[in-house]
Amino acid sequence: GAGVSQSPSNKVTEKGKDVELRCDPISGHTALYWYRQSLGQGLEFLIYFQGNSAPDKSGLPSDRFSAERTGGSVSTLTIQRTQQEDSAVYLCASSPRQGFDEQYFGPGTRLTVT
Amino acid sequence: DQQVKQNSPSLSVQEGRISILNCDYTNSMFDYFLWYKKYPAEGPTFLISISSIKDKNEDGRFTVFLNKSAKHLSLHIVPSQPGDSAVYFCAATVTGTASKLTFGTGTRLQVTL
């Protein structure tokens, strides 16, 4: 079956520009997570959506980062006024329900800010 | 503050031998641990997990051991195969916290012929 998909796979942008990253979770999965992996680092939690509940934004590094999930399915992570330190691989994961610890990851979007 | 640590960035093992990947954690609230495997240009894929009520979980060639007193877990792969060459991430979570995973920095395993 179809896994988690993310687009674009690669994005190069100039410092100061806004970017949008898209995630299509596995159909029927109610929980959706965004992580990022900077060079030489582990995966860092950013934000979590569960059904229609308010998202857990505790991992967002600054107010330049925001995310939404429309209709309980597709999610968009937006980074405004990008900085070079935003360069990383942004990974999306979904799971069937809250508390189901196995998460299914997409291939990621590699963001490079020049 | 790195709450989950994988102190070996890389490991090379001969095919057929045992691979042992180590992970240490500092947060005593963590009660569920997972290992993920990642190939280049792909997202991590779940490999095996263990709850803190156990000290061992086995799935085929993969076994995870948990030592709660030492806040240490390890992944054993026996026998190692060339297809096991990948980056392995240890992750931890506190059940009831919406399963936000805290990851280590990964260990790159190379299985040689």
Side-chain angles (χ1 to χ4, degrees):
Chain A
V4 177
S5 61
Q6 292 185 245
S7 60
S9 55
N10 279 284
K11 176 73 176 177
V12 180
T13 191
E14 290 180 355
K15 178 181 171 181
K17 295 284 180 73
D18 297 352
V19 294
E20 282 190 353
L21 312 179
R22 177 187 168 106
C23 171
D24 283 88
I26 293 172
S27 178
H29 280 195
T30 60
L32 186 148
Y33 304 80
W34 283 97
Y35 295 85
R36 75 174 175 182
Q37 185 182 16
S38 303
L39 192 63
Q41 302 296 313
L43 281 74
E44 172 192 6
F45 166 78
L46 297 177
I47 188 169
Y48 158 71
F49 295 89
Q50 170 57 43
N52 296 320
S53 303
D56 178 343
K57 305 178 183 179
S58 60
L60 294 179
S62 78
D63 58 8
R64 295 186 295 104
F65 288 71
S66 63
E68 62 177 22
R69 188 177 184 193
T70 54
S73 180
V74 172
S75 178
T76 303
L77 177 70
T78 301
I79 309 172
Q80 295 178 309
R81 305 181 303 282
T82 52
Q83 304 293 311
Q84 288 186 328
E85 61 263 28
D86 300 335
S87 297
V89 176
Y90 289 81
L91 289 151
C92 175
S94 69
S95 68
R97 60 185 181 274
Q98 179 179 354
F100 188 86
D101 297 297
E102 180 181 336
Q103 298 175 17
Y104 299 81
F105 283 82
T109 293
R110 180 175 295 278
L111 175 66
T112 303
V113 182
T114 61
Chain B
D1 175 29
Q2 193 76 23
Q3 296 188 63
V4 178
K5 301 178 185 178
Q6 293 177 257
N7 293 318
S8 298
S10 64
L11 175 68
S12 183
V13 171
Q14 211 167 22
E15 181 182 11
R17 301 286 184 109
I18 183 171
S19 295
I20 300 176
L21 297 98
N22 292 304
C23 177
D24 296 290
Y25 61 97
T26 58
N27 188 343
S28 57
M29 297 295 290
F30 289 145
D31 60 0
Y32 196 81
F33 305 88
L34 307 91
W35 284 93
Y36 278 80
K37 174 179 176 180
K38 185 181 185 302
Y39 293 117
E42 295 182 10
T45 56
F46 171 76
L47 196 55
I48 192 168
S49 63
I50 188 166
S51 165
S52 61
I53 61 172
K54 295 184 177 181
D55 55 17
K56 176 182 174 181
N57 189 27
E58 194 170 351
D59 183 3
R61 297 185 298 114
F62 302 91
T63 303
V64 56
F65 295 92
L66 175 63
N67 182 334
K68 290 188 291 293
S69 61
K71 294 192 180 70
H72 177 84
L73 61 155
S74 60
L75 174 68
H76 293 212
I77 307 173
V78 182
S80 301
Q81 299 174 355
D84 297 330
S85 297
V87 177
Y88 289 78
F89 289 97
C90 170
T93 188
V94 179
T95 52
T97 61
S99 305
K100 289 183 289 186
L101 297 176
T102 301
F103 284 84
T105 52
T107 296
R108 182 178 301 278
L109 173 66
Q110 177 90 30
V111 180
T112 58
L113 297 174

